[in-house]
Amino acid sequence: MELAYVCEWEKRPKSTHCPSIPLVCSWSCRNLVAFTTDLKSEDDDKNVSHMIHIIDTEHPWDVFSINSGHTEVISCLEWDQSGSRLLSADGDGQIKCWSMSDHLVNSWESVLSSSLDGDPIIALSWLHNGVKLALHVEMSGSTNFGEKFSRVKFSPSLTLFGGKPMEGWLAVTVSGLVTVSLLKPGGALLTASESLCRLRGRVALADIAFTGGGNIVVAATDGSSSSPVQFYKVVVSVVSEKCRIDTELLPSLFLRCTTDPLRREKYPAVTHLKFLTRENSEQVLLCASNQNGSIVECWSLRKEGLPVNNIFQHCSPVVGEKQPTILKWRILTTTSDLERVSAVALPKLPISISNTELKFCPGLGLALAFHDGSIQILHRLSLHTMGVFYGASSAQRPGDESAIKRQRTAGPTVHFKALQFSWTSLALAGVDNHGKLHMLRVSPSMGQVLEMNTTLRHLLFLLEYCMVTGYDWWDVLLHVQPSMVHNLVEKLHEEYMRQNQALQQVLATRIVAVKASLCKLSTATAARACDFHAKLLLIAISSTLKSLLRPHVLNTPDKSPGDRLTEICAKNTDTDIDKVMINLKTEEFVLDGPPLQSLQQLIQWVGDFVLYLLANLPNQGSMVRPGFGFMRDGASLGMLREMLVMIRIWGLLKPGCLPTFTATSDNQDSMLLLFRLLTKLWLCSRDDGAPQDPDDSLIDECCLLPSQLLVPSMDWLPVNDGVMVKLQGKHPLRLQFGKASSLPSNAPPTPLEVFNRTPGSQRMDNLRCVHMGVCPTEESKACTRCGCVTMLRSPNKTNAMKQWEQRWIKNCLCGGLWRRIPPTFT
């Protein structure tokens, strides 16, 4: 495990937070990290601003800081299941819901709130939406995604009419109150509160979990290790338009360390209470501490038989036949005496741990941070140490006594006050007691030395998991070395091709996006990243243009005009575009002029792309040039061929929509020429035959293309300014918030610098396929994953272009999130 990067404030205030104030950190499934700091005013120490900071991990310096408006210290931060909304709660009972403004990760606003005045919130969670996936690690060698990732039957916490899950959140207060806020379909908030039990008492720590039957389980303790840890079942319902909460007491437990005569008084306080997973209310982790050390215990709820006296055995035959059972907490394992624990992080990866022989896999370890600055990864069930990270201020080696002595004389060490795993458990985010944000890699093998093939299998398994769930895979890329890229891309494609046709269609664009982000990590495959990004745009344009086609007669057969176009173009191998057109029903292509004219820039991109591919065919002697991936991709070439046919027909109806080419001859029919050469190239790579190399006559004709038509320069990708490529080395990065230039200048060049534009070149809107000028003045947004840039506001008012832009309002082509970039950064 190693330090990936540290972020610091650009301008340090006179005083940050008091060391006793708890910090909070939360990591979403879209790789957004939220954390809190409490900043005191330079003039008035009593005036404290409770700040929430949100970053995307690829651009950690671009922090969005919110003066939350909370009047007390923020005690909880919770992301929703989609990673697009954030809950914050404080010590005054205020709960606020934050959501993205204009779907931008660096623009947030508070939209809803609820309050329990004066009652501090100590536990907070969104209600469960009923979606649960299980990862069967022992089936990682299977070829079927359905065997690796299975949908578990799980009921939502609350359902609307028709079984749709109702959104909302649940919180536990320090006075033993549970409060629920429900989001009604109209946007109104329905709130109710109820005591956890009849005798309300102080609750110092609490945690929330969910059961498969739709119930909620709350674990609570008053903070004393001699007191029982209580568990409550909470059932939420809506009766007569009012929220109702029913609670029921469940079996409780006493910590093992308090029943041990040698440790009865040693650890007086319970400092951490966590369910092992959010969907498993039957396993809980407890940490008891004193001023100098801690002990951690793992407990499990089990069903046990209740012994019956022999007298009653003969009274009732039913009792004799079936022994009554009772639920009882049993300790699974406990650690020996540890250093004092300062933070606990539990893995979010829902791995199936039915296989007891499973020793090393991602998600099998939990993290403990200690006051000496170190972090240990422990097995989530046996609590055996699997890996240790020594912080910058802690002892570099366990036996380094001089370093330990220096720490004791130097005052309090830097240690983590908040710690969170990423959603694939391959990275840790933590905030230390000085307010710095740290990011750490966590090895897939949990610190064990494994074969390269085993590591690749773990990474491949997690990439497939991200594809199926839609989660961001940034933290998986942290562990991909350039030498692994080619093997991972090939293996990923093989596994994808083994899935059924329906699943392949669902994952068609996600796998292309995963391949593109993988290929950026190696100079040998950087050109393929360009190809994959172009393929995403090609698929999107093709589906958009085909969606414009309408059947001439309403009672048409099952196939749509787009499907018939694909079928006819696949069967007709003629190189003359006009002969292919004869077999089509041209009345299905009749459209009004404005839609075609407004989509001209997309049509122009298709024409330029075909020209670029054909003109570069003679130069494709190696895989380092962009466009190589299309030369043997029969499906993509067939897609281009279909679009040329569509464009040819539309050009007869509206000549202004045709792509513009600069030809050396006035009587040159550019579309006819490009279609003929493209068809010859497509025939060499059709799916129904063995791939063939282009013949010499085709290459000769492509060599002449630059003398017949002016070949455009294609802007394949915008400049990728993220940290991922910089993190491939073993050296840690130190960054500052607000300073993108703080990336080290001696870092290795990014693979895509070969394809970057010169400073004086035109900037491209990568989605609208239009030029924005050398120094754009329009506000823009960029994708957090691939760097795709597009204008924030639409310059086009036509319906057809609005429909195209609405497709990308929430996410980029690759599925990444948007972040606002100022004009000077474009």
Side-chain angles (χ1 to χ4, degrees):
M1 189 165 64
E2 64 194 61
L3 186 67
Y5 59 73
V6 180
C7 295
E8 301 177 356
W9 291 106
E10 182 182 0
K11 293 182 180 178
R12 301 274 302 184
K14 272 188 179 178
S15 172
T16 54
H17 59 282
C18 170
S20 62
I21 292 178
L23 294 176
V24 191
C25 178
S26 187
W27 196 325
S28 83
C29 63
R30 306 300 297 272
N31 277 320
L32 302 178
V33 175
F35 62 102
T36 65
T37 55
D38 300 281
L39 303 180
K40 293 181 181 178
S41 170
E42 295 184 5
D43 303 323
D44 183 8
D45 283 347
K46 293 182 180 179
N47 187 11
V48 180
S49 299
H50 305 288
M51 308 292 293
I52 299 175
H53 312 283
I54 300 174
I55 64 166
D56 77 271
T57 50
E58 181 68 351
H59 306 86
W61 58 85
D62 186 11
V63 63
F64 185 77
S65 299
I66 309 167
N67 192 340
S68 64
H70 283 291
T71 55
E72 293 292 335
V73 175
I74 297 171
S75 56
C76 302
L77 284 177
E78 282 292 323
W79 290 99
D80 72 344
Q81 288 88 349
S82 67
S84 59
R85 287 181 299 183
L86 180 70
L87 288 177
S88 62
D90 66 10
D92 192 39
Q94 303 286 329
I95 303 174
K96 295 191 175 186
C97 176
W98 305 87
S99 65
M100 290 184 197
S101 176
D102 298 324
H103 307 289
L104 300 170
V105 297
N106 50 0
S107 182
W108 294 78
E109 59 184 359
S110 177
V111 289
L112 293 165
S113 63
S114 62
S115 175
L116 284 171
D117 291 338
D119 205 353
I121 306 293
I122 56 170
L124 182 66
S125 175
W126 289 89
L127 296 180
H128 204 284
N129 62 358
V131 177
K132 183 185 176 185
L133 204 67
L135 275 75
H136 305 284
V137 183
E138 61 271 17
M139 300 296 293
S140 61
S142 171
T143 58
N144 187 355
F145 283 179
E147 294 177 358
K148 296 180 186 180
F149 320 109
S150 64
R151 179 79 177 264
V152 179
K153 189 177 181 181
F154 210 87
S155 298
S157 303
L158 190 63
T159 55
L160 293 166
F161 179 77
K164 183 182 178 182
M166 192 169 190
E167 294 182 314
W169 59 80
L170 174 136
V172 180
T173 70
V174 76
S175 68
L177 208 63
V178 58
T179 177
V180 175
S181 298
L182 304 176
L183 295 171
K184 295 176 72 175
L189 208 57
L190 200 61
T191 304
S193 301
E194 186 64 53
S195 175
L196 278 172
C197 60
R198 291 180 180 178
L199 297 175
R200 283 174 65 183
R202 177 178 179 270
V203 178
L205 295 171
D207 198 20
I208 301 166
F210 301 92
T211 68
N215 298 326
I216 303 163
V217 177
V218 175
T221 175
D222 63 4
S224 171
S225 60
S226 59
S227 301
V229 178
Q230 301 279 5
F231 294 85
Y232 306 91
K233 182 173 80 171
V234 179
V235 180
V236 182
S237 56
V238 176
V239 180
S240 301
E241 295 296 319
K242 291 184 179 179
C243 181
R244 178 179 171 180
I245 303 172
D246 295 303
T247 61
E248 179 186 332
L249 189 63
L250 297 175
S252 57
L253 66 88
F254 282 92
L255 269 76
R256 168 65 66 87
C257 62
T258 59
T259 60
D260 185 347
L262 300 176
R263 291 175 172 166
R264 183 170 296 170
E265 306 294 335
K266 190 172 183 180
Y267 300 107
V270 180
T271 53
H272 297 89
L273 165 63
K274 299 272 188 184
F275 286 107
L276 274 185
T277 60
R278 186 168 154 268
E279 286 102 358
N280 187 356
S281 60
E282 298 177 354
Q283 289 179 334
V284 69
L285 190 80
L286 295 159
C287 176
S289 305
N290 56 27
Q291 290 295 323
N292 301 312
S294 299
I295 189 168
V296 176
E297 298 178 0
C298 185
W299 289 74
S300 177
L301 186 65
R302 294 179 179 175
K303 189 179 287 187
E304 295 185 357
L306 193 65
V308 180
N309 193 287
N310 291 333
I311 296 174
F312 299 103
Q313 292 279 355
H314 305 288
C315 294
S316 172
V318 178
V319 175
E321 290 173 7
K322 188 177 180 182
Q323 186 182 17
T325 58
I326 189 173
L327 289 172
K328 196 169 184 179
W329 285 98
R330 290 290 184 184
I331 190 165
L332 283 177
T333 184
T334 181
T335 63
S336 55
D337 295 339
L338 303 168
E339 285 286 335
R340 189 179 172 197
V341 174
S342 61
V344 178
L346 293 171
K348 299 183 178 75
L349 204 63
I351 62 169
S352 170
I353 47 179
S354 57
N355 187 353
T356 54
E357 297 179 0
L358 199 62
K359 295 180 180 179
F360 315 116
C361 76
L364 206 56
L366 58 90
L368 299 181
F370 299 96
H371 275 262
D372 64 357
S374 65
I375 296 176
Q376 286 189 23
I377 303 293
L378 306 182
H379 193 286
R380 64 195 287 183
L381 292 182
S382 67
L383 298 184
H384 292 153
T385 303
M386 304 174 74
V388 182
F389 165 74
Y390 299 99
S393 63
S394 63
Q396 295 303 311
R397 295 289 182 270
D400 190 354
E401 294 182 5
S402 61
I404 297 173
K405 290 177 182 177
R406 284 197 300 273
Q407 292 171 30
R408 290 174 179 170
T409 58
T413 58
V414 175
H415 61 271
F416 290 98
K417 300 205 73 176
L419 206 61
Q420 272 268 320
F421 268 110
S422 67
W423 280 65
T424 61
S425 304
L426 292 186
L428 275 170
V431 185
D432 66 22
N433 54 336
H434 291 295
K436 292 181 183 177
L437 177 69
H438 300 251
M439 190 74 65
L440 297 95
R441 292 183 176 100
V442 180
S443 168
S445 60
M446 297 295 161
Q448 309 299 317
V449 179
L450 299 179
E451 297 178 355
M452 178 63 77
N453 288 338
T454 308
T455 303
L456 282 174
R457 193 170 69 245
H458 284 321
L459 295 177
L460 180 67
F461 183 67
L462 291 176
L463 286 172
E464 292 168 351
Y465 168 68
C466 290
M467 278 202 316
V468 171
T469 57
Y471 295 159
D472 197 283
W473 52 89
W474 180 91
D475 41 343
V476 182
L477 300 182
L478 278 175
H479 302 270
V480 179
Q481 296 301 315
S483 57
M484 303 179 184
V485 170
H486 180 72
N487 284 339
L488 271 177
V489 171
E490 294 302 316
K491 292 283 186 185
L492 196 64
H493 183 73
E494 288 175 14
E495 294 297 318
Y496 168 78
M497 293 306 294
R498 289 171 178 162
Q499 309 312 309
N500 60 58
Q501 196 66 34
L503 187 57
Q504 284 189 26
Q505 287 184 2
V506 171
L507 304 178
T509 53
R510 285 185 193 168
I511 189 172
V512 177
V514 173
K515 289 177 181 179
S517 52
L518 281 170
C519 289
K520 286 182 185 177
L521 304 179
S522 169
T523 51
T525 55
R528 296 186 67 186
C530 299
D531 291 349
F532 288 130
H533 190 270
K535 188 170 182 177
L536 285 171
L537 187 56
L538 179 63
I539 293 170
I541 294 176
S542 174
S543 60
T544 299
L545 296 184
K546 283 183 179 179
S547 68
L548 297 175
L549 306 179
R550 294 289 182 268
H552 183 59
V553 184
L554 290 179
N555 55 347
T556 54
D558 297 336
K559 290 183 181 177
S560 66
D563 292 335
R564 282 200 296 277
L565 172 67
T566 302
E567 185 179 357
I568 290 170
C569 288
K571 290 179 180 177
N572 195 325
T573 59
D574 205 303
T575 57
D576 189 339
I577 190 169
D578 294 325
K579 291 182 180 178
V580 177
M581 283 168 48
I582 295 173
N583 298 314
L584 294 169
K585 296 179 180 178
T586 52
E587 59 269 15
E588 295 179 342
F589 293 80
V590 175
L591 299 174
D592 295 332
L596 290 175
Q597 194 62 46
S598 62
L599 295 173
Q600 199 276 333
Q601 64 259 34
L602 302 182
I603 293 172
Q604 182 68 47
W605 185 88
V606 173
D608 289 346
F609 187 68
V610 172
L611 177 55
Y612 176 90
L613 285 183
L614 294 171
N616 282 276
L617 177 63
N619 303 324
Q620 298 294 346
S622 64
M623 293 183 67
V624 296
R625 296 184 63 87
F628 180 87
F630 285 91
M631 298 307 170
R632 293 184 180 275
D633 186 355
S636 296
L637 295 175
M639 205 181 297
L640 286 168
R641 194 165 170 266
E642 294 164 21
M643 282 194 280
L644 287 184
V645 173
M646 274 194 291
I647 294 167
R648 180 72 163 188
I649 298 173
W650 286 336
L652 299 175
L653 306 171
K654 184 74 176 178
C657 77
L658 285 171
T660 305
F661 299 102
T662 305
T664 55
S665 174
D666 294 337
N667 57 359
Q668 173 69 58
D669 190 337
S670 304
M671 290 283 289
L672 195 68
L673 174 63
L674 292 178
F675 185 84
R676 181 166 57 81
L677 297 179
L678 180 64
T679 302
K680 287 184 177 180
L681 181 59
W682 169 69
L683 290 172
C684 297
S685 55
R686 291 180 69 187
D687 295 335
D688 54 357
Q692 304 171 358
D693 291 326
D695 57 19
D696 293 340
S697 62
L698 175 59
I699 292 176
D700 290 342
E701 286 189 84
C702 290
C703 285
L704 296 174
L705 259 184
S707 63
Q708 296 170 301
L709 299 171
L710 181 64
V711 180
S713 61
M714 298 293 291
D715 285 331
W716 294 88
L717 277 181
V719 178
N720 191 7
D721 60 347
V723 298
M724 179 48 66
V725 176
K726 308 285 185 182
L727 292 174
Q728 296 310 301
K730 294 294 182 183
H731 301 290
L733 296 183
R734 290 188 177 271
L735 310 175
Q736 281 186 304
F737 289 130
K739 287 188 175 181
S741 58
S742 60
L743 282 172
S745 57
N746 58 353
T750 60
L752 290 177
E753 281 180 358
V754 183
F755 311 112
N756 288 349
R757 267 75 61 205
T758 58
S761 63
Q762 289 269 351
R763 309 293 181 179
M764 279 289 293
D765 184 318
N766 299 99
L767 278 186
R768 297 182 178 91
C769 302
V770 295
H771 291 282
M772 296 193 295
V774 177
C775 297
T777 56
E778 284 288 327
E779 272 196 310
S780 303
K781 58 184 180 182
C783 174
T784 57
R785 182 184 292 160
C786 70
C788 176
V789 175
T790 185
M791 285 179 281
L792 201 56
R793 298 174 190 86
S794 173
N796 203 318
K797 304 301 180 184
T798 59
N799 289 333
M801 203 60 201
K802 281 182 181 178
Q803 289 172 9
W804 169 257
E805 291 163 357
Q806 282 295 317
R807 294 175 63 137
W808 322 114
I809 195 73
K810 291 184 179 180
N811 302 105
C812 173
L813 279 163
C814 67
L817 295 169
W818 295 113
R819 65 186 185 100
R820 186 196 302 267
I821 53 175
T824 52
F825 280 11
T826 56

